[in-house]
Amino acid sequence: MKTTQNDATDLSAQIAKAIRDAIIDGKLIVDERLPSEAELADQFSVSRPTVREALKRLAAQSLIRTQRGAFGGAFVNRIAYPDAYGQQITTSTLLLSMNDISFDVACEARFAMERACAPMACARRTADHLATMRAEIHRQSQVGLSDESWCASDVAFHRALVDAANNPVLSYQLAGSVEAMQPLMNMITFTARSRERIIDLHTRIADSVEQNHPDECDHRLSELADYTMTLAKNVIDMRRTSAST
Amino acid sequence: MKTTQNDATDLSAQIAKAIRDAIIDGKLIVDERLPSEAELADQFSVSRPTVREALKRLAAQSLIRTQRGAFGGAFVNRIAYPDAYGQQITTSTLLLSMNDISFDVACEARFAMERACAPMACARRTADHLATMRAEIHRQSQVGLSDESWCASDVAFHRALVDAANNPVLSYQLAGSVEAMQPLMNMITFTARSRERIIDLHTRIADSVEQNHPDECDHRLSELADYTMTLAKNVIDMRRTSAST
DNA sequence: AGTTTTCATTTGTCAGACATTTAAAAGTCT
DNA sequence: AGACTTTTAAATGTCTGACAAATGAAAACT
């Protein structure tokens, strides 16, 4: 009977887990220095390369940072928002692209969360956030904008909306959803007509945020979600048709 | 003219980045086998330990898995929900615990997203989800339940609510928020009276989900959010008072 | 006192070796 | 021929020992 459990895991994985748990449990606090690689090798009764592999695993998760030289070493890292953003985006992107999750499911999740931000965005938006949203709308109106630039601007618009809620935790959570959708969105070819429609909705959303009309904002986001899913469905239908002929 | 960023990064980090980018860009597809460590060492003109450190970095992010033996090697991994959940929870937990984010901000973000799930949960919940919610409510009613068990049951209840929305992407996103709050919640001492109040709200939430009353559900979640923040504020005030005397 | 040099410590990298695992290939028996 | 066993090659996992490079502290020197 094989348990498929962690008896058979690498030593470096076990050591990484031990240190990771110590950090999560607060036994190692931020900026605290870990023992040197040689000392860790002694403590865990393994060789230095094995310890190093464990430390690299932790570094990949931004749990530690290393510094060379005397009095250098591995230090418990304070996970900052940019680190967390990056990991969130990488993981979410791959989760979506590798698991043939339907466009609808991803889209629904994303807009559900975005709509949750709307009331706060209306109440707290600064002039900066509004300016960013307007600027992106303006960019979207330019003729001859490539599909990639269009999608990038779309992401920037929605991130400004989320940031307007002025809750960094929400911004962090949403970063994954919004950015991870971009590869999926890039598969949609936005015609001039559909761009026009989306720009109109973006404008109404920006207006409602400016005038603090959360219900209107929620409604327009809802419309945008529906319209996005319709566009996606058309693309998928067309592909299926052309593939079957 | 600077080339890109810091040429001063580790070789193993550079190699990991190169491979990671190849995976994200789709140049390496799921289940594809990477060259052996010896071959990679040749290709990148580094030694095998350095290549191994790079591979361990990728393994820590669940981007690859390795297999020993002939015809083994490193394979591009399909990131599954459990992997993504785990990373999401680790990152979120540390982000919250290390950056003195106020309880209110974290709580607001979490309940905003949870309320976004409410309408879907009402529409799609199965008997299973309801049963889990009821079971957790029952556990919460037991006298002499430790604070840890109480909080664990609280998490389980809310996860059941989120899962009832039947959108795995939402479940994944919420996992981080809900689980990461647990250490913060553990700091609150729940008196018998406050537990009673929360159980009452949980019951009303479960009822509204069962009877498909999204507005009622939203309202009670809102109440729960407010009440949780009130409890936290009391704890913080008491600490401040006792600290200043 | 201020500057420069030395120096010990620690991470980064390399080379080579052996152990262990694994599945394919070869061999053996019925 | 088919089923079972043994061999074997390839790959990762681990270890030893070594050297390079960075870095800050202490010592030496103006």
Side-chain angles (χ1 to χ4, degrees):
Chain A
M1 170 183 149
K2 159 189 291 192
T3 48
T4 322
Q5 191 73 324
N6 36 8
D7 278 320
T9 54
D10 297 359
L11 287 177
S12 68
Q14 290 175 34
I15 294 167
K17 177 164 169 31
I19 298 175
R20 181 165 36 236
D21 287 347
I23 293 175
I24 292 173
D25 294 348
K27 284 171 202 149
L28 294 168
I29 59 175
V30 167
D31 291 337
E32 186 171 338
R33 182 179 173 280
L34 299 181
S36 73
E37 294 174 353
E39 286 174 295
L40 286 172
D42 258 10
Q43 285 181 25
F44 289 102
S45 305
V46 296
S47 66
R48 194 158 83 91
T50 302
V51 166
R52 282 182 61 79
E53 288 176 8
L55 293 180
K56 294 314 162 199
R57 293 179 117 107
L58 299 175
Q61 295 181 298
S62 305
L63 293 184
I64 61 169
R65 61 179 185 279
T66 54
Q67 210 171 7
R68 292 172 70 160
F71 296 80
F75 298 84
V76 178
N77 198 31
R78 159 167 278 122
I79 294 186
Y81 280 106
D83 299 324
Y85 270 50
Q87 294 193 220
Q88 171 81 347
I89 291 170
T90 303
T91 306
S92 297
T93 303
L94 290 171
L95 186 68
L96 290 191
S97 71
M98 285 179 173
N99 286 280
D100 46 56
I101 291 163
S102 81
F103 188 88
D104 283 3
V105 169
C107 205
E108 176 182 85
R110 178 218 156 145
F111 276 100
M113 295 204 291
E114 200 165 332
R115 283 166 63 190
C117 297
M120 291 175 243
C122 289
R124 301 177 190 161
R125 88 289 183 285
T126 65
D128 252 15
H129 297 129
L130 282 171
T132 303
M133 292 169 76
R134 300 288 185 199
E136 296 299 338
I137 290 174
H138 182 256
R139 178 175 305 162
Q140 289 158 20
S141 316
Q142 290 172 343
V143 290
L145 195 70
S146 72
D147 273 350
E148 281 78 21
S149 302
W150 161 268
C151 287
S153 175
D154 186 68
V155 167
F157 174 86
H158 287 282
R159 288 198 66 155
L161 174 65
V162 171
D163 288 343
N166 198 32
N167 183 315
V169 178
L170 265 182
S171 293
Y172 149 69
Q173 295 281 6
L174 266 288
S177 286
V178 175
E179 299 262 356
M181 285 288 293
Q182 197 166 4
L184 297 180
M185 297 288 278
N186 276 331
M187 289 167 30
I188 304 176
T189 48
F190 293 94
T191 63
R193 276 204 72 226
S194 62
R195 285 193 187 184
E196 200 180 322
R197 173 82 195 276
I198 292 172
I199 289 169
D200 179 55
L201 285 170
H202 282 176
T203 306
R204 288 169 192 272
I205 289 167
D207 288 347
S208 61
V209 169
E210 179 161 22
Q211 293 154 26
N212 191 7
H213 291 158
D215 289 341
E216 163 80 3
C217 186
D218 184 84
H219 182 238
R220 296 305 171 187
L221 276 170
S222 196
E223 260 186 277
L224 185 54
D226 289 343
Y227 187 58
T228 306
M229 286 194 237
T230 307
L231 286 179
K233 191 193 295 287
N234 288 345
V235 170
I236 291 166
D237 283 350
M238 272 176 52
R239 281 221 189 122
R240 188 167 308 143
T241 310
S242 67
S244 66
T245 51
Chain B
M1 170 181 169
K2 76 169 153 184
T3 48
T4 41
Q5 186 117 335
N6 15 1
D7 281 78
T9 54
D10 295 342
L11 287 178
S12 68
Q14 290 174 34
I15 293 168
K17 177 165 168 29
I19 299 175
R20 180 165 37 236
D21 288 347
I23 294 174
I24 292 173
D25 294 348
K27 283 170 206 153
L28 295 168
I29 60 175
V30 167
D31 291 337
E32 185 171 340
R33 182 179 172 279
L34 298 180
S36 72
E37 294 175 354
E39 286 174 296
L40 287 172
D42 260 9
Q43 284 181 25
F44 288 102
S45 304
V46 295
S47 66
R48 193 157 84 93
T50 302
V51 166
R52 281 182 63 79
E53 288 177 9
L55 293 180
K56 293 314 163 200
R57 294 177 116 109
L58 298 175
Q61 296 181 299
S62 305
L63 294 184
I64 62 169
R65 61 179 185 279
T66 54
Q67 211 171 7
R68 294 175 69 165
F71 296 78
F75 297 83
V76 177
N77 198 31
R78 160 168 278 122
I79 294 187
Y81 280 106
D83 300 323
Y85 271 49
Q87 294 193 220
Q88 171 81 347
I89 291 170
T90 303
T91 306
S92 297
T93 303
L94 290 170
L95 186 68
L96 290 190
S97 71
M98 286 178 172
N99 287 281
D100 47 56
I101 290 164
S102 81
F103 187 88
D104 284 4
V105 168
C107 205
E108 177 182 85
R110 178 218 154 143
F111 277 101
M113 295 203 292
E114 200 166 330
R115 284 166 62 191
C117 297
M120 292 175 244
C122 288
R124 302 178 189 160
R125 91 288 182 286
T126 66
D128 253 14
H129 298 129
L130 281 171
T132 304
M133 292 169 76
R134 301 288 185 198
E136 296 300 337
I137 290 173
H138 183 255
R139 179 175 305 164
Q140 289 158 20
S141 317
Q142 289 171 343
V143 290
L145 195 69
S146 72
D147 274 349
E148 281 76 22
S149 302
W150 162 267
C151 288
S153 175
D154 187 69
V155 167
F157 173 84
H158 287 282
R159 288 198 65 155
L161 174 64
V162 170
D163 289 342
N166 199 31
N167 182 316
V169 178
L170 265 183
S171 292
Y172 150 69
Q173 295 282 5
L174 266 289
S177 286
V178 174
E179 298 263 357
M181 287 288 293
Q182 196 166 5
L184 298 179
M185 298 289 279
N186 275 331
M187 289 168 29
I188 304 176
T189 49
F190 293 94
T191 62
R193 276 204 71 228
S194 62
R195 284 193 187 183
E196 200 179 322
R197 174 79 195 278
I198 291 172
I199 289 169
D200 179 55
L201 285 170
H202 282 176
T203 306
R204 288 169 191 272
I205 288 167
D207 288 347
S208 60
V209 168
E210 180 161 20
Q211 294 155 25
N212 191 7
H213 290 158
D215 290 339
E216 163 80 4
C217 185
D218 184 85
H219 182 238
R220 296 305 171 189
L221 276 170
S222 194
E223 260 186 278
L224 184 55
D226 289 343
Y227 187 59
T228 306
M229 287 194 235
T230 306
L231 285 179
K233 193 192 294 285
N234 288 346
V235 171
I236 292 166
D237 283 351
M238 271 177 52
R239 282 222 188 121
R240 189 169 305 143
T241 311
S242 68
S244 65
T245 51

